[in-house]
C-alpha cells in the first residue's frame, strides 16, 4: 500500500532539492551584489513574480481575472433554452421537475 508513496517521494525529492540549491549558492552581499538585489531575486524565484523596484514602471505584480464571461443572448438560449432542454433526456427531466414545482419560468 505504501509502495506507491515511496516511489512518489523519490520522484519528488530531487525536484525539491534543486529548488533550494540555487538560493544557497547565490553570491553573498560582500562579493559585490547588494542585499536588495539578492533578496529580490530570492523572493522572485520563490513567489513566481517580480519584486517591484524603486523606479520600476514595468512591474508585473498581479494577474487579472474575471474576463471570461462575455454574455450573449444567442449562446445562452442555445445552451440553456427550452429547445436545448427538450433535446436530451436529462433536459426533459429538468423541465418536468420545474413544471411540477410550479416555476413561472421553465428555462431561458
Amino acid at each position: 500500500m505504501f509502495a506507491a508513496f515511496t516511489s512518489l517521494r523519490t520522484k519528488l525529492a530531487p525536484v525539491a532539492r534543486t529548488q533550494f540549491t540555487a538560493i544557497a549558492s547565490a553570491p553573498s552581499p560582500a562579493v559585490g551584489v547588494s542585499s536588495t538585489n539578492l533578496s529580490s531575486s530570492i523572493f522572485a524565484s520563490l513567489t513566481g513574480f517580480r519584486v517591484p523596484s524603486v523606479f520600476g514602471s514595468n512591474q508585473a505584480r498581479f494577474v487579472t481575472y474575471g474576463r471570461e464571461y462575455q454574455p450573449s443572448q444567442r449562446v445562452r438560449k442555445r445552451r440553456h433554452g427550452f429547445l436545448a432542454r427538450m433535446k436530451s433526456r436529462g433536459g426533459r427531466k429538468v423541465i418536468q421537475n420545474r413544471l411540477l414545482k410550479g416555476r413561472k419560468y421553465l428555462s431561458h
Side-chain angles (χ1 to χ4, degrees), residues 80-100:
H80 309 291
F82 184 80
L83 294 177
R85 297 282 192 219
M86 295 305 283
K87 281 181 185 178
S88 67
R89 184 176 172 193
R92 288 190 293 272
K93 276 191 139 182
V94 169
I95 297 289
Q96 180 185 8
N97 288 337
R98 290 179 71 84
L99 260 171
L100 291 174

Side-chain angles (χ1 to χ4, degrees), residues 23-41:
I23 295 170
S25 65
S28 65
V31 175
V33 178
S34 67
S35 62
T36 57
N37 289 342
L38 178 64
S39 64
S40 61
S41 65

Side-chain angles (χ1 to χ4, degrees), residues 11-34:
K11 288 178 186 175
L12 293 179
V15 175
R17 280 191 214 114
T18 57
Q19 269 184 338
F20 296 109
T21 54
I23 295 170
S25 65
S28 65
V31 175
V33 178
S34 67

Side-chain angles (χ1 to χ4, degrees), residues 55-74:
F55 304 108
S57 61
N58 54 355
Q59 298 175 359
R61 286 189 189 184
F62 304 106
V63 180
T64 58
Y65 297 108
R67 298 180 50 166
E68 292 87 2
Y69 180 64
Q70 301 295 321
S72 167
Q73 292 286 335
R74 182 179 296 168

